[in-house]
Each structure stands twice: as C-alpha cells, then as structure tokens.
Amino acid sequence: MSLIQSLKLVIAPPHPAARPFLLASGAGAIIGRLLPFRVTRWLGTASGLFFGFCLYFFRDPERVTPAEPNLAVAPADGHIVSIEKVAPPPELDMGDAPVWRVATFLSVLDVHVNRMPVAGTVTRIAYHAGQFLNASLDKASELNERNALRVTLKDGRQVAVVQIAGLIARRILCDAEEGMQYETGERFGLIRFGSRTDLYLPPDVTPLVEVGQTMIGGETVMARL
C-alpha cells in the first residue's frame, strides 16, 4: 500500500453515524477550552481527543470492488477468527444443513462500515437481542446481540451476513430493508466500537481465505460463487 493510499484510509470522510458524536465532542472541546476553569479545560481537552477518535473510528473510505461477477467479497474490515461449517442462523429460515461460516473480527482500529458481500436481494432481516461478549469468541455468533440478513442471489441461492455486537459495541446500524437490491460492495450498515461480521456461504461454495488473514471490506475476495 502506497503512502497516499494509507493517508486516504486514515483521513477518509466520516460515516453519517458519526455526526452526533462529532457535534457533542466538538462543542465540548470548544466550550471547555474557552471557559477559564481548570476542570473545564481538562474536559475540553478530553472532548477534543474523543473528537479525533470519532473522526478516525467512523472513517468511511472508498473501496474498489472487483468487477468480476459471481464473487463474494469481505463484508467488513478486520481479521478472520474462524472458518467452520455450522448451521445458518435459525431466524433466517435457511434450513439446518451445515454451510461454511467465515467470521471477521473488527477491532476499534478497523473501519466499521459493513458492505454487501454479494449482489442480490435482501429477503429477510432478523434482529436478535443478546449479550455483549468478546466478539472474537466463537460463542459470540450465538449469544451476542446480532442483526442477520438473508440475501438471495439471482440464481436462487442464499447468503447470510450477520452483524454482531462485541464487548464494547452497543449499537448495530443497518440501512438495509427487506426487498432492497444491492450490488457487491455497497454499504449497508455499521457497528459501533468493536464488533464481528459473519458470512454464511451457499452449501456448494468453499471459502478462499484463511484464519488470521486481514480483510478489506468490499475488496477482499472471500469465495467464488
């Protein structure tokens, strides 16, 4: 990665979800530094630091999705923590036959914008309230708060992508609605402050990635459909 590409990743414009955090911390930083009290100046400094953190955390860089058709790309940045055959989320009504699940863990330093891994139609969305365990653990897929999407491909096969809240994350944002059509790599949501994103592939598809591999959302090829 070139220096220019690295800078674009760091200074990318923030996602709209950052606005309330930036407004609150920005106002706190200005007011705190203007008032002539030691405590308010300290709070102003802390607010300024949080403002900078939010700019970095909510960054939303542009991505170049591979033009080749019939690819499944990474739905999120981060690194792969598990690849195993399991039953799809029961709330999506995709049957109980095991399929490949690829789990990507996002630290607070990763870009947290979720991108659609395939081209298709969102045919079901199911929210499940749950715990806030460390998202890198396998049991987080079943126990943590999550938002699951079933995406139907043009040939009728189905893919599932699941947004999972983590130890720090407390809010899952999903812009998708049932019936909406997406192209591969399009943005569909975001998870705040550390999380995990699971991808469930069709039964006849094998992952092309490995545990520990770093993912770039919307760009890294995870499987050929």
Side-chain angles (χ1 to χ4, degrees):
M1 182 180 293
S2 68
L3 177 60
I4 294 179
Q5 289 175 317
S6 299
L7 289 175
K8 285 184 178 180
L9 178 61
V10 174
I11 62 176
H15 187 275
R19 290 170 185 166
F21 295 92
L22 294 176
L23 288 173
S25 59
I30 295 173
I31 295 173
R33 296 300 295 176
L34 288 177
L35 293 177
F37 304 105
R38 180 175 297 179
V39 173
T40 56
R41 289 188 178 227
W42 182 87
L43 291 174
T45 300
S47 296
L49 292 174
F50 186 66
F51 181 88
F53 168 76
C54 288
L55 275 179
Y56 181 78
F57 177 85
F58 286 101
R59 66 197 188 281
D60 184 12
E62 293 296 330
R63 294 291 164 77
V64 179
T65 301
E68 182 181 343
N70 300 319
L71 295 179
V73 301
D77 286 32
H79 67 276
I80 295 175
V81 291
S82 71
I83 301 175
E84 56 185 337
K85 275 199 168 183
V86 298
E91 60 267 28
L92 293 182
D93 297 327
M94 295 173 61
D96 54 8
V99 297
W100 285 109
R101 181 187 69 194
V102 184
T104 302
F105 174 72
L106 296 77
S107 76
V108 293
L109 301 179
D110 290 312
V111 173
H112 273 61
V113 176
N114 289 132
R115 293 174 178 271
M116 195 59 66
V118 295
T121 303
V122 178
T123 50
R124 185 171 177 81
I125 299 177
Y127 171 79
H128 176 83
Q131 303 178 40
F132 297 95
L133 303 175
N134 188 326
S136 64
L137 302 176
D138 282 343
K139 57 185 177 181
S141 293
E142 289 77 33
L143 299 180
N144 279 24
E145 177 185 13
R146 63 182 183 269
N147 187 60
L149 291 80
R150 184 182 70 201
V151 183
T152 301
L153 310 178
K154 291 181 179 180
D155 61 10
R157 289 182 297 169
Q158 296 177 331
V159 169
V161 57
V162 185
Q163 301 169 284
I164 303 173
L167 185 64
I168 302 175
R170 287 296 186 273
R171 183 67 192 274
I172 296 174
L173 304 178
C174 180
D175 300 322
E177 297 179 1
E178 293 184 6
M180 292 180 65
Q181 295 183 343
Y182 280 87
E183 295 298 325
T184 306
E186 283 193 274
R187 302 170 177 85
F188 75 89
L190 177 145
I191 315 174
R192 289 207 294 250
F193 307 129
S195 55
R196 170 171 165 167
T197 303
D198 288 354
L199 174 64
Y200 293 78
L201 297 168
D204 59 342
V205 174
T206 301
L208 300 177
V209 291
E210 299 180 353
V211 172
Q213 186 174 342
T214 299
M215 298 290 99
I216 300 177
E219 292 191 359
T220 306
V221 175
M222 301 188 81
R224 294 186 182 279
L225 302 174

